[in-house]
Amino acid sequence: MRIMFLCLCLVAGTSVAAQDMPPWRTSMPEEQRLDAIAFEGFDSHITENLGDVQSVVVVLRGRPVYEYYRDGNPDALRDTQSVTKSALAVLVGTVFQQGKLTSLDQPVLELMPEWKPLNADPRVQDITLRHLLTMTPGFDAEDNGGTATAWARPLRAEPGQRFSYDNSVPGMVSAILERITGQPMADLVREQLVTPLAMREPTYVGSLVHLRTVDMAKLGYLLLQDGRWAGRSVLPAGFAAEIVKAQSAGGPPVGTPYGLFWWVASSNTFFASGYGGQAIWVHAPQGLVVAVTSVVSPQSQQRPQALGLIRGRIFQAVQKRLSSGEK
């Protein structure tokens, strides 16, 4: 189903510069009072009418203003589905910050020379890290048989010429990160994201990461901050903008332009999207980040309750909150 996030860009404005955004902080009592007024009735509406939606975190100008947990557990680790890919793009940026990667346009086979014998097509020599992150390496339909078989697939397009959403690509990117850093993925995530962003240690189920909803929101806010958190540069300057810049016209399953494992609705609105209604949605002019998790099922995929909530009541509540004097 084509998810029309483009229509979420309801407020004109320019992107929020990192220096204009406050650090992640705890709300003061008067702020909490005004937040409660703006989001009055939300808990009952979600509980009674949006059975797919499991958790919601709304962050405005650097602080959480509304949270909902159907199970009452803010610390629960939740299945993010393909939001995992977007988190991986942020992790790639941390490896650039370490100096262990120097260019998105570096050929993959320079980073993984052991893959050279796997594919005789000379065009694979031109596949770069950018091609993987933008889902444009040109491989045939996805293959879930593992990293080696994924690289061995025939090419159906020149690298960089065709977007094709391919669930095998993140595994290749993960293998590259582990190779060049010498660290298992869980250790790398802990060192580069969990510790600096004060996240809960995630769990890994197959190729998917399970995160707290508030930690999903932190990833979106990190990109609003140009990769800075609590005075520390987690990502190189400008890398966040590269992540959320449209690199191709995109295509299914969402149908909007695509950046580096993030979907791009406009010059100031971007989002991570996972099957069944998992999302991190960011609208820069308002300094707004919304993280939502939902039941993972074909039914929740077909009735996008999370999208409707973001586009409708949450957007309206944020407008109301801003009108009450949010700085």
Side-chain angles (χ1 to χ4, degrees):
M1 176 181 293
R2 178 178 171 87
I3 301 177
M4 293 301 296
F5 268 92
L6 287 171
C7 56
L8 290 172
C9 307
L10 303 177
V11 174
T14 57
S15 297
V16 176
Q19 62 267 27
D20 296 330
M21 296 296 295
W24 188 275
R25 62 184 180 86
T26 302
S27 301
M28 302 299 290
E30 177 61 13
E31 292 175 318
Q32 294 173 12
R33 185 185 71 81
L34 294 173
D35 296 342
I37 292 172
F39 287 88
E40 184 178 4
F42 263 63
D43 286 10
S44 59
H45 173 73
I46 297 171
T47 298
E48 296 169 10
N49 300 297
L50 303 177
D52 295 338
V53 175
Q54 299 300 297
S55 66
V56 181
V57 172
V58 180
V59 176
L60 185 62
R61 306 286 172 85
R63 64 182 189 84
V65 296
Y66 175 73
E67 298 184 47
Y68 171 85
Y69 304 97
R70 187 175 295 274
D71 59 8
N73 185 3
D75 286 326
L77 296 172
R78 303 180 190 276
D79 185 351
T80 69
Q81 291 289 298
S82 285
V83 171
T84 299
K85 297 179 179 69
S86 302
L88 182 58
V90 177
L91 187 64
V92 169
T94 71
V95 178
F96 272 91
Q97 180 66 14
Q98 290 179 288
K100 295 180 179 178
L101 281 170
T102 58
S103 173
L104 287 172
D105 299 310
Q106 186 170 4
V108 169
L109 290 179
E110 290 184 3
L111 301 168
M112 301 294 288
E114 63 268 34
W115 289 356
K116 289 182 179 179
L118 300 178
N119 197 317
D121 191 322
R123 294 177 293 178
V124 298
Q125 300 176 46
D126 298 325
I127 297 174
T128 65
L129 181 58
R130 185 187 301 274
H131 292 143
L132 295 184
L133 292 167
T134 58
M135 296 282 191
T136 60
F139 286 114
D140 200 355
E142 69 178 66
D143 183 302
N144 294 317
T147 299
T149 57
W151 187 262
R153 291 173 295 173
L155 270 67
R156 293 292 182 247
E158 297 291 328
Q161 296 301 306
R162 185 184 72 178
F163 173 88
S164 180
Y165 196 76
D166 183 351
N167 285 320
S168 297
V169 167
M172 290 189 273
V173 174
S174 296
I176 291 169
L177 296 186
E178 290 186 330
R179 168 65 183 272
I180 64 179
T181 64
Q183 293 179 278
M185 185 58 58
D187 292 349
L188 185 61
V189 171
R190 182 183 307 112
E191 177 185 286
Q192 298 300 319
L193 292 176
V194 172
T195 298
L197 272 60
M199 299 167 66
R200 183 181 173 189
E201 184 81 16
T203 57
Y204 303 88
V205 180
S207 62
L208 302 176
V209 65
H210 288 213
L211 296 167
R212 293 188 305 177
T213 313
V214 70
D215 293 334
M216 293 167 62
K218 287 180 178 181
L219 294 175
Y221 190 68
L222 178 68
L223 297 184
L224 274 183
Q225 294 269 65
D226 190 29
R228 294 186 62 80
W229 190 274
R232 170 183 171 179
S233 292
V234 180
L235 307 178
F239 194 85
E242 190 72 15
I243 287 177
V244 302
K245 180 179 71 176
Q247 309 267 341
S248 79
V254 173
T256 67
Y258 202 65
L260 306 182
F261 285 167
W262 285 73
W263 299 93
V264 183
S266 74
S267 62
N268 54 35
T269 304
F270 52 91
F271 60 96
S273 178
Y275 179 83
Q278 329 311 319
I280 306 170
W281 184 78
V282 183
H283 186 57
Q286 294 178 326
L288 174 64
V289 180
V290 183
V292 181
T293 66
S294 305
V295 174
V296 178
S297 72
Q299 293 75 26
S300 62
Q301 176 71 5
Q302 290 300 314
R303 50 177 185 250
Q305 293 182 353
L307 170 61
L309 178 65
I310 295 169
R311 190 174 59 190
R313 282 181 171 253
I314 287 178
F315 194 86
Q316 295 164 10
V318 166
Q319 291 291 90
K320 181 176 181 179
R321 182 64 185 90
L322 290 173
S323 69
S324 69
E326 178 70 19
K327 303 299 183 182

